[in-house]
Amino acid sequence: MYPTLQKMLFGLNDAHVILEPVSGQLMHPEALTAFSQLRRDARDAGFEPRVVSGFRGFERQRIIWNRKASGARPLLDSDGHPLDVQQLSDEEIVFAILRWSALPGGSRHHWGTDFDIIDAAAVPEDYQVQLTPEEVADDGVFGPFHRWLDERMAAGRSYGLFRPYAVDRGGVAPERWHLSYAPRARELQDLLTPELLRTQIEACPATDNLALADTVCANIESIFQRFVAVPDSAYPQSLDRL
């Protein structure tokens, strides 16, 4: 694989993303164009979509991962309840982290094609966004916006944006707030393999390592299928025409 493409695939630099000026987040240029078009339509409907998390590099994802593995950040079960890291095996810790946080090197946020959004018009400026299922439920603070977005996606009018984690497939917990620009994300996903991901994890410097790397590598095939690969059925059916 070409070094430049590898750096993009694993979020090793930010040369492939640009600034979204309203949020200050970094995004893939094509994803930003699609989002800008969607935001224009949403504003006409009384909403104000705002990106709260765009590009995340490998190092940032590694810090999140390691803090959860050590118990420095909360580790949650599938229902969102805190777990005691000290009572879990290494494998149980790995799969608990993956339920809510991506594996460094396996995050779609590395590509800049994926981002998390809120409806800024629905909350005061000082609102502390949590990105929880309660916020985006139909009766949640961002529910009306997401119902509107559901209709746009169903009608094929979301400019190639879709929800890769719209439903629970036994891997990543549903994330209604997570959007992805399908054409480029699909291309990049097709380049990623379990072996490439294992190689990247093993390449972490010993002085700056990934916690539980041995356990991750031992389970990489299962991890890839459950928590990294998004199935064809989740992508827009009109992807070839976008």
Side-chain angles (χ1 to χ4, degrees):
M1 179 178 292
Y2 294 112
T4 299
L5 183 57
Q6 184 173 353
K7 289 179 179 179
M8 178 180 183
L9 196 61
F10 295 119
L12 300 179
N13 66 26
D14 60 4
H16 58 287
V17 291
I18 60 176
L19 185 70
E20 196 287 300
V22 175
S23 65
Q25 296 289 325
L26 295 172
M27 301 175 66
H28 188 287
E30 293 179 53
L32 176 54
T33 296
F35 172 68
S36 297
Q37 293 172 314
L38 183 74
R39 179 170 55 193
R40 176 199 62 206
D41 295 349
R43 284 172 171 169
D44 289 343
F47 305 108
E48 183 59 38
R50 180 173 299 170
V51 177
V52 293
S53 184
F55 167 78
R56 287 202 299 269
F58 185 94
E59 175 59 16
R60 182 178 173 192
Q61 202 68 34
R62 187 192 68 82
I63 291 172
I64 294 171
W65 176 276
N66 284 2
R67 286 177 60 80
K68 288 195 172 186
S70 69
R73 287 185 64 162
L75 186 61
L76 308 176
D77 66 15
S78 291
D79 297 319
H81 300 137
L83 292 167
D84 183 355
V85 173
Q86 303 302 319
Q87 302 299 316
L88 303 177
S89 67
D90 287 352
E91 187 170 308
E92 288 172 331
I93 293 172
V94 164
F95 283 93
I97 297 173
L98 287 166
R99 181 67 170 163
W100 299 101
S101 295
L103 177 68
S107 173
R108 298 170 69 92
H109 281 273
H110 292 337
W111 311 335
T113 58
D114 287 50
F115 51 96
D116 302 331
I117 60 169
I118 65 166
D119 173 21
V123 292
E125 197 65 35
D126 61 353
Y127 178 81
Q128 297 299 307
V129 177
Q130 301 297 315
L131 294 182
T132 61
E134 291 75 21
E135 286 180 320
V136 298
D138 281 350
D139 59 352
V141 65
F142 303 130
F145 167 66
H146 283 289
R147 290 198 302 273
W148 175 85
L149 187 51
D150 285 342
E151 295 174 359
R152 300 287 298 195
M153 290 180 176
R157 300 173 60 200
S158 58
Y159 305 101
L161 296 171
F162 79 110
R163 294 189 179 97
Y165 307 122
V167 298
D168 191 345
R169 294 186 288 267
V172 179
E175 296 184 350
R176 202 177 187 186
W177 56 80
H178 182 138
L179 300 188
S180 178
Y181 181 62
R184 298 294 79 75
R186 181 56 185 273
E187 289 180 354
L188 291 165
Q189 179 181 312
D190 287 347
L191 293 173
L192 190 58
T193 66
E195 187 55 42
L196 280 175
L197 188 52
R198 179 190 288 112
T199 299
Q200 177 58 39
I201 291 169
E202 292 175 342
C204 289
T207 56
D208 209 19
N209 69 327
L210 183 73
L212 304 174
D214 289 345
T215 302
V216 169
C217 290
N219 292 275
I220 197 66
E221 295 288 344
S222 175
I223 288 172
F224 190 87
Q225 293 304 319
R226 288 182 58 192
F227 299 98
V228 178
V230 170
D232 292 347
S233 59
Y235 282 85
Q237 296 304 302
S238 58
L239 181 58
D240 58 338
R241 300 195 300 273
L242 295 173

